[in-house]
Amino acid sequence: MADGLRRARRFGTQFGMRRLLILGLLLSTTGLAFASPMRKPKRGFQMKVGHFDVGPSQDLEVCEYRRLPNRRKMLVQAFETRMPPGSHHFVIWSYNGSLPGPEGFPAGPVPSVGCTGLTADDVFPSVVIPLQTPNARFQFPRGIALEIEPHAQVWLNPHMKNPTEAALTPAVKFNFYAAKPGTVEHVAHALIIGTTNFQIPAGGDATVTAEWTAPVNLNLLQLVTHEHRLGTTANIEIVEIDGVTK
């Protein structure tokens, strides 16, 4: 958490030939992978990702176009997800194009990395909520919330790994929890910074750095790194206006 950022934030990531499997995948003998129970919120709503299958030994990331069910603008104070153990991540991305849908969008979950390139008028959607563990709850500090528009157009993006020899049908659901009326003083936004401009030499390692300069003073709530199968280490550095690196 930092205040008064004006210089670049540097993101360094190392990639190598080692494959990282941080979490194992728990499968049922029926080929169905169920998330742990989660009640619907009293203030807010619950949704489920549509049906998709993960083949034997498959690493699969899918995206599904949906509209959120809230009829009015909503201030989200917390978000929670349930996925089978071993799932890699779940992200909600915002569609920012002009298509009203559902025409022009894929029907149901389709294979996609980060929901990129699924529509011609919004090749790189913007992140709404990213979570990196199967059963996770993210809650904003008191007085802070995320704002979502009525029936917002979004992409649901679960990433699964199936290490078994049987097909898997995962169950993925999530809750949006609305803030109590009159409690929100500040609206938060999510931001992803990275680079795709790198190569890994055969049998070797590579280190890449992405930089971003804050255009205004910012209050940071949380900073996290995220990597996929070839990542080995990652770190975030904050460079203050006086050149001091944290």
Side-chain angles (χ1 to χ4, degrees), residues 3-238:
D3 200 340
L5 295 184
R6 296 185 182 177
R7 291 288 301 278
R9 273 177 267 163
R10 298 196 180 111
F11 298 75
T13 305
Q14 289 187 335
F15 296 85
M17 298 307 296
R18 288 182 290 160
R19 177 186 294 266
L20 294 185
L21 270 183
I22 300 175
L23 300 173
L25 189 62
L26 178 63
L27 306 178
S28 69
T29 57
T30 62
L32 298 176
F34 294 101
S36 58
M38 181 172 64
R39 293 182 179 180
K40 295 182 180 180
K42 294 180 179 179
R43 294 190 311 275
F45 58 83
Q46 183 176 105
M47 294 179 67
K48 297 180 180 180
V49 177
H51 178 96
F52 68 99
D53 297 320
V54 186
S57 303
Q58 186 179 18
D59 185 329
L60 179 64
E61 186 174 345
V62 302
C63 289
E64 181 182 17
Y65 167 76
R66 298 284 288 276
R67 277 190 178 269
L68 300 182
N70 55 305
R71 292 178 292 178
R72 292 181 291 273
K73 185 178 292 187
M74 181 177 173
L75 292 170
V76 180
Q77 210 277 323
F79 179 83
E80 191 171 13
T81 185
R82 289 289 186 273
M83 299 176 70
S87 305
H88 184 261
H89 75 236
F90 181 76
V91 180
I92 296 181
W93 304 89
S94 173
Y95 167 70
N96 301 306
S98 59
L99 298 175
E103 293 79 11
F105 293 89
V110 295
S112 175
V113 176
C115 304
T116 57
L118 294 178
T119 60
D121 63 346
D122 189 28
V123 177
F124 296 101
S126 56
V127 66
V128 179
I129 294 178
L131 292 177
Q132 303 189 76
T133 53
N135 300 311
R137 179 185 174 99
F138 178 81
Q139 186 160 343
F140 288 101
R142 185 177 180 85
I144 299 175
L146 176 75
E147 185 177 76
I148 57 173
E149 296 296 325
H151 300 300
Q153 294 174 279
V154 298
W155 297 102
L156 311 181
N157 175 213
H159 182 186
M160 305 291 300
K161 174 70 178 180
N162 179 7
T164 76
E165 298 303 316
L168 161 70
T169 301
V172 180
K173 55 186 176 181
F174 56 92
N175 285 351
F176 276 86
Y177 296 91
K180 293 182 179 180
T183 62
V184 176
E185 300 176 3
H186 305 284
V187 174
H189 300 273
L191 177 67
I192 288 183
I193 302 165
T195 180
T196 59
N197 185 25
F198 64 90
Q199 292 182 335
I200 306 173
D205 297 334
T207 300
V208 297
T209 299
E211 295 188 359
W212 177 74
T213 300
V216 295
N217 290 350
L218 297 176
N219 292 307
L220 303 179
L221 301 177
Q222 186 180 56
L223 289 172
V224 296
T225 61
H226 187 77
E227 298 179 298
H228 283 236
R229 60 179 181 171
L230 297 181
T232 57
T233 61
N235 72 293
I236 300 173
E237 293 181 349
I238 299 177

